[in-house]
Amino acid sequence: MDKGLHFMFCVITTMLLLRESSQTGEKNDPKMLGCIQIWFYASLQSGTDSRGSEEGLPTLTVTTILEDPYVMVRSAELEGYCIDLLKALAAMLHFSYKVKVVGDGQYGAVSSSGNWTGMIGEILRQEADIAVAPLTVTSAREEVVSFTTPFLQTGIGILLRKDTVSQEMSFFHFLAPFSKETWTGLLFAYVLTCFCLFLVARLSPCEWNEPKNEENNFTFLNSLWFGAGALALQGVTPRPKALSVRVIAAVWWLFTIALLAAYIANFTALLSSGSEQLPIQTFEDLVKQRKLEFGTLDGSSTFYFFKNSKNPTHQMIYEYMDKRRDYVLVKTYQEAVQRVMESNYAFIGESISQDLAAARHCNLIRAPEVIGARGFGIATTQASLWTKKLSIAVLKLRESGDLDYFRNKWWETSCLHQGRDGWSPLQPQALGGLFLTLAIGLALGVIAAVVELSNKSRHAAGHAKKSCCSVFTEEMCARLRIKGNTRQSQETAGRANA
């Protein structure tokens, strides 16, 4: 209600001033109209963005900058991460405030005349008491103003458009869902399973009752074909008869079903994320390529980071931007994001802001490398008594989880897939339980085959009046086609009968 009355009062006062000017026969002076408009906007902004009309509370003038999602204008009011932070600080430290947007739209840098621009300049000229904005703490700024404990940690990253950096998939790209170790383990499991099928089918009397008169269907080649058919989810012959062979076949089927499900899921995530299609992973990759232009915000801390860095790669980036500053340097963050989306341009800036852009624009992605760890702090005058109080309040908000809540609130993503760090080749550890289940199944199948062969040998030994061990050995040699041992066993048996 108070806001509505204030708004109506501003409208009526402006109309009366214009009417009085027209009735006196004077021409409407453009300067006068401009002053009226400025006064009207200032009154409206003061009515919507000032807090704490309570008597006795100190009032701070807060300068900020319009940048999504830190400070935004919605429904004639300011809102965003920094506004929520400012409200929380005011409630904790019991002060009121008036928010003003920085006049020149700059963060703060030294101009050619030696004066500070942006929010830093307004604090130095005492036009504002504090600056609550995504203002990076740097040594140059710290020399003229004081900063609180950082309320957000960030770094310098590279914002790209996915289709501008995509490259053709490699010929063996279909192998990417699994790591090399996983493919090696899969090949070993396949060969071992097929060998166990071949071995158990020869040992089991239910699968191969008369080795002298019958032909075993599970040769080693047939076993390999049986295992490959299971990998393709196709039923193939020969069909197992013995329980031991069926146990191994069933475990192998379960193993292949789970393995194929993991492969399809990871391959789908790989295709949708495009993380393997990023040839620009580091700043060195950015310098080496010639397809994309790259730049940063004009006069920002990021620009001066590369200017002051002794790293050869960073120096090359600075020289490139400095020589083409009229073409590659941008004025605002919104302009940078728009340029990345519409042209072959890579934006170098705060990684936390780039994460927001990638979350809201699904065709954008941030390169993995982040350099120059830094933080956003609240700037005050050097002699201000509010610096320590605000630092302690920021620490309390961090400890209580409020800063994380603000971050999650304003960095909410609308993208289903986050390709930059949402995919990686499937490692053997992730399939460890699956391989263990297969190993146990193979062991059970071999044990079952030995038990089946032992039972038959026991019955045969009773009828032939021989020892069970000798009959078991003969059966084993006959089924495994060990001719020397079989001939020796037959000669020994003949001598005993003689």
Side-chain angles (χ1 to χ4, degrees):
M1 181 65 71
D2 293 340
K3 295 180 181 179
L5 292 175
H6 187 79
F7 178 78
M8 291 299 299
F9 175 76
C10 294
V11 174
I12 293 173
T13 305
T14 304
M15 293 178 65
L16 289 175
L17 290 173
L18 293 174
R19 181 180 179 183
E20 181 181 358
S21 175
S22 62
Q23 288 179 350
T24 56
E26 298 177 355
K27 295 182 179 180
N28 293 332
D29 187 2
K31 294 183 179 180
M32 180 179 179
L33 291 178
C35 293
I36 292 174
Q37 292 174 357
I38 293 174
W39 172 83
F40 173 75
Y41 176 76
S43 300
L44 179 61
Q45 185 179 4
S46 176
T48 56
D49 297 331
S50 61
R51 296 293 183 272
S53 58
E54 300 88 347
E55 297 180 356
L57 293 180
T59 301
L60 299 180
T61 301
V62 181
T63 180
T64 188
I65 191 170
L66 294 178
E67 181 176 328
D68 188 9
Y70 303 99
V71 180
M72 301 170 289
V73 179
R74 292 181 181 175
S75 302
E77 290 190 2
L78 296 179
E79 63 178 25
Y81 180 94
C82 290
I83 301 301
D84 288 351
L85 174 63
L86 187 57
K87 292 178 181 178
L89 293 175
M92 293 179 64
L93 300 179
H94 305 289
F95 65 85
S96 61
Y97 58 88
K98 293 189 301 181
V99 179
K100 63 185 295 291
V101 178
V102 60
D104 58 4
Q106 300 294 321
Y107 290 87
V110 181
S111 63
S112 57
S113 61
N115 298 321
W116 280 85
T117 62
M119 293 177 282
I120 301 296
E122 290 190 350
I123 292 179
L124 293 177
R125 294 189 298 269
Q126 297 184 354
E127 298 174 7
D129 298 309
I130 61 174
V132 182
L135 191 60
T136 306
V137 181
T138 63
S139 59
R141 292 171 179 172
E142 188 74 44
E143 290 179 355
V144 294
V145 298
S146 295
F147 281 97
T148 64
T149 300
F151 56 85
L152 268 180
Q153 298 294 334
T154 182
I156 300 176
I158 308 170
L159 184 65
L160 308 159
R161 195 173 77 248
K162 291 181 180 179
D163 57 351
T164 59
V165 294
S166 62
Q167 61 181 7
E168 296 183 358
M169 294 184 181
S170 63
F171 190 72
F172 296 99
H173 194 67
F174 67 94
L175 299 176
F178 289 164
S179 65
K180 295 179 181 179
E181 294 80 5
T182 304
W183 284 115
T184 304
L186 173 60
L187 180 61
F188 178 77
Y190 168 70
V191 174
L192 179 62
T193 302
C194 294
F195 177 76
C196 288
L197 278 173
F198 165 73
L199 178 64
V200 170
R202 285 187 168 273
L203 293 179
S204 175
C206 299
E207 191 70 42
W208 195 32
N209 193 23
E210 294 292 337
K212 296 181 181 179
N213 303 325
E214 296 181 13
E215 191 68 27
N216 194 297
N217 293 324
F218 274 95
T219 63
F220 187 68
L221 290 179
N222 287 346
S223 299
L224 291 175
W225 179 246
F226 183 89
L231 279 173
L233 298 181
Q234 299 293 323
V236 294
T237 55
R239 300 183 182 277
K241 303 176 185 177
L243 175 63
S244 55
V245 182
R246 290 179 177 179
V247 167
I248 294 179
V251 173
W252 178 243
W253 288 337
L254 293 176
F255 176 83
T256 54
I257 290 174
L259 190 73
L260 288 174
Y263 176 86
I264 294 172
N266 217 34
F267 192 62
T268 303
L270 168 64
L271 294 179
S272 60
S273 67
S275 61
E276 285 295 304
Q277 305 176 38
L278 273 183
I280 300 178
Q281 301 281 336
T282 65
F283 284 87
E284 186 176 356
D285 296 335
L286 184 65
V287 173
K288 291 179 179 179
Q289 60 83 38
R290 293 294 180 267
K291 183 180 179 180
L292 299 178
E293 293 182 328
F294 52 89
T296 186
L297 291 175
D298 189 10
S300 64
S301 60
T302 301
F303 180 80
Y304 288 100
F305 170 84
F306 288 100
K307 180 180 180 180
N308 300 325
S309 176
K310 303 301 181 183
N311 187 297
T313 301
H314 300 169
Q315 279 295 308
M316 294 175 63
I317 293 175
Y318 167 72
E319 291 174 1
Y320 174 89
M321 294 189 298
D322 188 52
K323 291 179 180 178
R324 300 168 178 82
R325 59 169 54 244
D326 294 335
Y327 303 100
V328 300
L329 297 184
V330 294
K331 300 297 182 183
T332 63
Y333 175 77
Q334 290 76 12
E335 179 187 350
V337 174
Q338 196 69 21
R339 187 167 176 181
V340 172
M341 296 178 63
E342 296 177 354
S343 62
N344 292 337
Y345 181 78
F347 173 62
I348 302 175
E350 302 292 347
S351 61
I352 192 170
S353 300
Q354 294 174 349
D355 289 339
L356 174 70
R360 295 189 175 181
H361 305 281
C362 300
N363 62 331
L364 299 183
I365 189 171
R366 178 172 64 80
E369 185 180 31
V370 176
I371 61 174
R374 54 182 64 189
F376 293 154
I378 301 173
T380 66
T381 58
Q382 288 187 331
S384 176
L385 300 176
W386 288 98
T387 307
K388 185 174 182 180
K389 295 180 181 179
L390 290 170
S391 294
I392 296 175
V394 168
L395 291 174
K396 289 182 179 179
L397 290 175
R398 179 178 297 153
E399 292 169 356
S400 63
D402 289 340
L403 294 183
D404 293 332
Y405 169 74
F406 297 155
R407 169 71 185 271
N408 296 332
K409 174 183 177 182
W410 294 104
W411 268 258
E412 183 179 3
T413 178
S414 59
C415 300
L416 297 178
H417 302 284
Q418 297 296 316
R420 178 175 41 80
D421 48 357
W423 179 88
S424 60
L426 205 59
Q427 300 295 326
Q429 294 81 357
L431 301 176
L434 194 60
F435 280 97
L436 179 61
T437 302
L438 177 63
I440 294 175
L442 296 180
L444 290 176
V446 173
I447 293 174
V450 172
V451 171
E452 291 172 349
L453 184 59
S454 299
N455 290 334
K456 182 184 179 182
S457 300
R458 189 180 301 109
H459 292 298
H463 291 295
K465 295 182 180 181
K466 297 180 181 180
S467 66
C468 181
C469 292
S470 61
V471 175
F472 180 83
T473 303
E474 292 176 3
E475 289 285 344
M476 182 79 73
C477 294
R479 294 174 186 280
L480 296 180
R481 306 282 185 173
I482 305 177
K483 297 181 179 180
N485 293 343
T486 304
R487 188 181 299 110
Q488 184 178 0
S489 299
Q490 290 176 351
E491 292 177 355
T492 304
R495 292 174 183 172
N497 293 332

